[in-house]
Amino acid sequence: MSQVIRRDPETLRRALLPWLHERLPEADAIELPLPRKPGSGGSSETLLISPTIRQAGVTRREEWVLRIEPSDHQIYMDPGLRRQFLVMQALHAQGDVPVPAMLWYEADPTTLGVPFFVMEHVHGQVMPGMHHSGGFLAEAPPAAREAIWLSAIETMARLHRLSEARFQFLARPALGSTGLDQEIAYWTDYLAWSGAPVRAEQERALRWMADNLPDARGGGLAWGDARPANMIFRDDKCRAVIDWETTSLGGAETDLGWWLFFDWNVSEGSKIARLEGTTDRAGTIAAWEHFAGRRAEAMEWHEAFAALRFSMIVDRARLLAERMGRPETVPADAGHRIAERLVELTA
């Protein structure tokens, strides 16, 4: 993982405490227990911190999340911690899409060796990645399950209705004239950057994508890692959208394509029955169109783009796991299954 993860919790606590005093100069005293790991948060190191703050005779206990930029264990070419912070900060200010309140971003590596940010901890339930196999969604009765599922899709569609004007800092004009063109260029560069052997089906998919580019290639805010496991739920509703490492102006369909591909990967693609109360591909697209107020365009292309991106990420993760001497953490058959799906989608 990152450099900080090699330190013991006490080392991290001692590094953070004076930094917190600088952020909270009005505090008379701050007590900081050892940071602890949550149940999720893999591409960037994520820790829970619960400082007790005494100020003007009043003591309060906070619950915050510390997100640390990866360094040597870097899944993404550009982890962009500041970009994540700014997106969530803008979303929280706008209020249409639920995200944690953002507290501080620290660019100076003096404290932890890498940039990091602190945000509020949103309480609720988080699905496992294999959401059709277990977890609170699988344990919920069908009616509640349907409410949870539709709340997730509605929340995703809500962020896709936002104007991209407030998120122009995400633009990468050097990579292309539209948000989607920029995303295509970014992930084409990722294939070379990752260090993993390039698969023949990945090269073929890039050619297929170039030959079948959607006519409409505008932009729009895209979450990036659009899937149920990156949402926090409470009382059958989505209460927060998290994990914005791959956010972009690639447009809504890049998110919807990712959602559809990932849902296939953890159900039919893994030979696991879909949970009653969740929608299949057609039903998910119809629900998204209802909540977004428009038709989804070129979804076959966007699903193929999602499969290509995911195949690259899995290959990169496996390469890093091998370097760490833990190849079993990313099974080789996962890459093969995704590669087969990529061939199907680009046939």
Side-chain angles (χ1 to χ4, degrees):
M1 298 298 288
S2 70
Q3 293 171 347
V4 173
I5 204 169
R6 296 195 185 118
R7 305 175 189 173
D8 63 34
E10 175 60 20
T11 301
L12 184 56
R13 189 191 72 82
R14 289 181 180 178
L16 282 172
L17 196 52
W19 181 87
L20 284 174
H21 276 285
E22 292 176 2
R23 305 284 83 73
L24 299 166
E26 70 281 4
D28 299 319
I30 302 175
E31 295 180 5
L32 183 63
L34 294 179
R36 61 195 191 281
K37 292 192 70 63
S40 60
S43 52
S44 295
E45 188 180 356
T46 304
L47 296 159
L48 303 179
I49 57 175
S50 303
T52 298
I53 301 164
R54 189 170 72 250
Q55 179 182 342
V58 177
T59 299
R60 70 182 190 273
R61 183 176 179 271
E62 301 285 1
E63 295 184 79
W64 296 335
V65 176
L66 171 68
R67 193 86 156 148
I68 302 170
E69 187 165 279
S71 51
D72 53 339
H73 188 88
Q74 187 174 322
I75 292 290
Y76 298 116
M77 186 166 61
D78 176 14
L81 212 69
R82 181 174 182 272
R83 187 175 66 245
Q84 299 171 47
F85 182 89
L86 291 175
V87 166
M88 287 190 281
Q89 187 179 57
L91 288 170
H92 191 270
Q94 195 155 13
D96 293 325
V97 177
V99 293
M102 309 307 291
L103 299 176
W104 304 286
Y105 170 75
E106 182 55 75
D108 189 340
T110 302
T111 302
L112 299 184
V114 287
F116 63 93
F117 66 69
V118 177
M119 61 184 174
E120 289 191 348
H121 181 207
V122 176
H123 286 274
Q125 296 171 294
V126 178
M127 298 184 200
M130 300 291 290
H131 52 261
H132 290 290
S133 304
F136 82 93
L137 185 69
E139 295 165 1
R145 195 181 295 148
E146 182 178 11
I148 293 166
W149 191 257
L150 290 178
S151 175
I153 298 173
E154 192 272 338
T155 302
M156 176 172 62
R158 200 186 310 159
L159 77 89
H160 294 148
R161 294 200 304 262
L162 297 176
S163 168
E164 66 179 278
R166 294 190 65 178
F167 303 96
Q168 284 304 306
F169 57 85
L170 294 175
R172 296 181 172 110
L175 296 182
S177 59
T178 74
L180 181 56
D181 290 331
Q182 293 166 20
E183 273 295 273
I184 295 168
Y186 173 88
W187 287 99
T188 301
D189 291 345
Y190 182 97
L191 190 61
W193 169 86
S194 74
V198 178
R199 299 173 182 265
E201 55 270 18
Q202 291 169 332
E203 293 181 321
R204 181 186 180 280
L206 283 171
R207 293 193 297 270
W208 180 90
M209 286 167 50
D211 292 340
N212 295 275
L213 277 174
D215 293 331
R217 297 200 304 283
L221 179 62
W223 175 8
D225 197 359
R227 55 192 176 104
N230 287 333
M231 291 176 159
I232 299 173
F233 296 87
R234 190 173 64 253
D235 301 327
D236 299 343
K237 291 185 179 296
C238 175
R239 303 298 179 177
V241 180
I242 56 176
D243 287 350
W244 293 80
E245 285 95 333
T246 51
T247 186
S248 74
L249 294 180
E253 276 81 357
T254 61
D255 275 348
L256 184 55
W258 184 268
W259 181 287
L260 292 171
F261 170 76
F262 196 88
D263 193 47
W264 169 87
N265 187 47
V266 300
S267 56
E268 292 95 331
S270 299
K271 296 181 170 55
I272 295 169
R274 178 177 298 279
L275 290 170
E276 180 185 354
T278 65
T279 52
D280 60 9
R281 178 186 185 277
T284 297
I285 292 175
W288 182 89
E289 290 177 336
H290 169 76
F291 292 124
R294 69 169 179 85
R295 294 289 302 274
E297 303 290 342
M299 287 317 303
E300 292 81 4
W301 188 95
H302 283 284
E303 286 177 79
F305 186 31
L308 175 62
R309 287 179 285 155
F310 196 64
S311 74
M312 297 179 191
I313 292 168
V314 169
D315 289 348
R316 169 69 177 172
R318 181 162 179 79
L319 176 68
L320 294 177
E322 289 173 347
R323 288 177 179 174
M324 294 173 67
R326 300 178 60 191
E328 72 283 353
T329 59
V330 185
D333 63 343
H336 297 323
R337 182 178 72 250
I338 295 160
E340 291 171 359
R341 180 62 171 168
L342 184 57
V343 170
E344 292 174 4
L345 292 169
T346 57

